[in-house]
Amino acid sequence: MIWPTSQSSNRSGFAAGLLDLVKAMRIVDVPARSRQAAIRSLVRAMDLEAEGVEQQEVLDAIDRREATARTIVDKGLASPHAGIDWHGDFRIVLWRSRAGVEYCIPDDPRVHLIVLFVVGRERRGHVHLRLLAALAELLDTDDFRRQLVEARDTQAAHQILLQKAGLSAEPPTRTALDVLE
């Protein structure tokens, strides 16, 4: 898979805008019965091996980060993340499941959306917090997250995200002047 760019032309060089974030995000529907299985599937979907990063290295980095605190952003939503030895900016994958998985959190027994991201170590401090803030803005309500989980497929989920980010899924209307050109 060719990944969309994870950089923008803004002053900071980071895609902090919601539209850039959504364009860089890959969405997967992969059956998983556990938190660990879901995270393994997300790491595999990142396809970082093509860039010289072993899956186990990513899994170990996620495990180290998650050992300090499980990253539950809101009800039904987790966002595990880590910095890795990689020259890229960031890679992000969204997993969704109607059934959800247990995530070892007493007050939030099942997670239905997992947004896993990794950032290159050189950019970790700069990118990490901006990604978390953009994700919080994008996935801000229970109703919106429910729409993503219940979307018929990954393309429909992606369209929902694009609409939230400000890109209409409807084709632009043509005017009489457009026809004359």
Side-chain angles (χ1 to χ4, degrees):
M1 169 185 188
I2 297 174
W3 280 81
T5 181
S6 56
Q7 295 184 24
S8 78
S9 59
N10 66 15
R11 277 185 233 131
S12 68
F14 170 66
L18 294 182
L19 185 56
D20 291 330
L21 177 67
V22 170
K23 286 180 177 181
M25 186 181 295
R26 181 173 185 190
I27 303 170
V28 296
D29 289 341
V30 180
R33 294 181 181 229
S34 68
R35 173 193 156 277
Q36 295 85 0
I39 289 175
R40 274 193 307 274
S41 295
L42 286 166
V43 169
R44 214 173 7 260
M46 286 185 162
D47 195 30
L48 286 166
E49 286 185 327
E51 297 177 48
V53 179
E54 297 294 323
Q55 288 181 19
Q56 192 59 50
E57 178 185 343
V58 178
L59 290 168
D60 291 345
I62 295 291
D63 286 344
R64 282 190 302 275
R65 171 62 181 83
E66 287 281 293
T68 62
R70 297 268 190 259
T71 313
I72 297 291
V73 177
D74 207 347
K75 182 182 176 188
L77 170 65
S79 185
H81 54 277
I84 61 172
D85 187 19
W86 172 54
H87 294 294
D89 283 343
F90 71 94
R91 186 70 51 89
I92 186 165
V93 180
L94 181 140
W95 173 87
R96 62 192 200 112
S97 168
R98 288 188 176 116
V101 294
E102 289 188 22
Y103 210 81
C104 306
I105 301 294
D107 297 338
D108 199 5
R110 298 203 76 74
V111 168
H112 299 274
L113 291 172
I114 299 175
V115 182
L116 185 136
F117 69 89
V118 296
V119 295
R121 288 212 189 271
E122 295 172 10
R123 305 274 293 164
R124 188 173 196 285
H126 181 68
V127 172
H128 172 248
L129 294 177
R130 288 179 184 224
L131 267 174
L132 284 173
L135 286 170
E137 182 180 347
L138 183 65
L139 304 171
D140 62 347
T141 67
D142 287 339
D143 287 338
F144 182 73
R145 292 189 301 270
R146 191 173 310 111
Q147 286 178 32
L148 289 175
V149 170
E150 294 175 0
R152 72 180 178 280
D153 57 26
T154 58
Q155 288 85 10
H158 194 250
Q159 286 302 314
I160 291 167
L161 287 165
L162 286 170
Q163 287 175 346
K164 173 81 179 258
L167 184 65
S168 174
E170 299 174 17
T173 56
R174 293 179 58 169
T175 66
L177 291 176
D178 293 331
V179 175
L180 295 174
E181 292 180 347

